[in-house]
Amino acid sequence: MPKACLIDSIGTEMPADFKQMFDMGLCSLSNRLLKDVIDTYAKLHVNYEPLRIIKPQFEIPLPPLQLATFPPIFSEPPAPHPRALRSG
């Protein structure tokens, strides 16, 4: 991970090797304590079982589907204008 702020580097020279700007110890993984952890299981009288993969279930049960149709709404046409009736 790069160092968080350039203000920390004011007054110091930038290293020639850019890898020195990264702290790899922050994001590392080590199994050196695994034996101690497994031995602790025995001391506590707990059975040690390795982790198992659990199959994910992505299916979500859905309620049964129903059609969402509505009858059409017809509007009444406007009444004819009274003058239109006399001219005919």
Side-chain angles (χ1 to χ4, degrees):
M1 296 290 126
K3 294 189 178 172
C5 186
L6 292 176
I7 293 175
D8 296 339
S9 65
I10 292 177
T12 61
E13 277 191 39
M14 296 299 281
D17 184 15
F18 72 93
K19 295 178 201 169
Q20 293 176 358
M21 297 180 66
F22 295 88
D23 184 5
M24 297 301 189
L26 292 176
C27 300
S28 63
L29 180 66
S30 173
N31 289 335
R32 65 185 174 89
L33 297 176
L34 183 62
K35 183 178 180 332
D36 296 336
V37 171
I38 293 174
D39 291 343
T40 306
Y41 275 92
K43 290 177 188 175
L44 296 174
H45 305 292
V46 176
N47 292 335
Y48 172 74
E49 297 177 7
L51 295 176
R52 290 175 278 145
I53 296 177
I54 299 173
K55 265 191 173 177
Q57 292 181 339
F58 296 111
E59 298 174 8
I60 300 172
L62 298 174
L65 298 177
Q66 296 177 353
L67 294 176
T69 57
F70 302 96
I73 301 173
F74 297 107
S75 59
E76 292 291 324
H81 198 273
R83 290 187 187 173
L85 295 175
R86 290 186 203 160
S87 66

